[in-house]
Amino acid sequence: MSELNNPGVWPCLKYDDAEAARVFLTEVFGFTEALTVRGEDGVSIAHGELKWPEGGGVMYGSMLGHDDLPKPPVGGQWLCVATDDPDAVHKRASTSGAKVLTEPYETEYGSRNVTIADPEGNVWTFGTYRGA
């Protein structure tokens, strides 16, 4: 399995409403659902994995039932996702009414980026830059 499909680093986000996050991240951003493990209540998400179609992914879950974990600040995360088509992500986000923080723009390092907030305020930048 290639590194793109089996990343060694997994950003992990906890949500107050992980179900709404799952729907938003798949339907608006374009992630694909790889695994969803429900909590004992059948509603909360104990563990979820979403794959990015162009490689990599994120883990996510509900804060509910994790009183033992420190809660990061709401909207306290900033994630960068490499994509060949940030304009398509922007179009889906705009159409859905998502909070677009920056319209698509060109950076001084050659990337085309768009920045969008998820429903709980985490900031996601989608861009063509794939790293040095």
Side-chain angles (χ1 to χ4, degrees):
M1 186 174 275
S2 77
E3 286 182 24
L4 289 177
N5 293 323
N6 191 11
V9 177
W10 284 89
C12 184
L13 301 168
K14 292 292 185 186
Y15 288 95
D16 287 329
D17 188 344
E19 181 61 27
R22 181 191 66 76
V23 171
F24 181 88
L25 296 173
T26 56
E27 292 181 8
V28 176
F29 285 168
F31 282 90
T32 57
E33 190 172 349
L35 176 68
T36 300
V37 178
R38 300 282 172 185
E40 291 179 11
D41 61 7
V43 177
S44 64
I45 297 175
H47 175 79
E49 295 177 19
L50 301 174
K51 298 283 186 158
W52 184 242
E54 296 176 66
V58 296
M59 292 183 188
Y60 72 103
S62 301
M63 280 305 302
L64 182 66
H66 288 284
D67 297 332
D68 57 324
L69 296 176
K71 185 173 179 178
V74 172
Q77 306 305 311
W78 191 299
L79 299 100
C80 295
V81 180
T83 181
D84 291 334
D85 196 355
D87 293 290
V89 177
H90 173 256
K91 183 177 181 181
R92 285 192 307 270
S94 296
T95 301
S96 77
K99 185 175 183 180
V100 176
L101 302 175
T102 66
E103 296 294 322
Y105 66 97
E106 304 294 329
T107 70
E108 61 277 359
Y109 51 90
S111 185
R112 181 157 178 82
N113 290 355
V114 62
T115 303
I116 305 158
D118 72 21
E120 294 194 22
N122 295 299
V123 177
W124 297 74
T125 295
F126 295 84
T128 55
Y129 182 73
R130 296 188 178 272

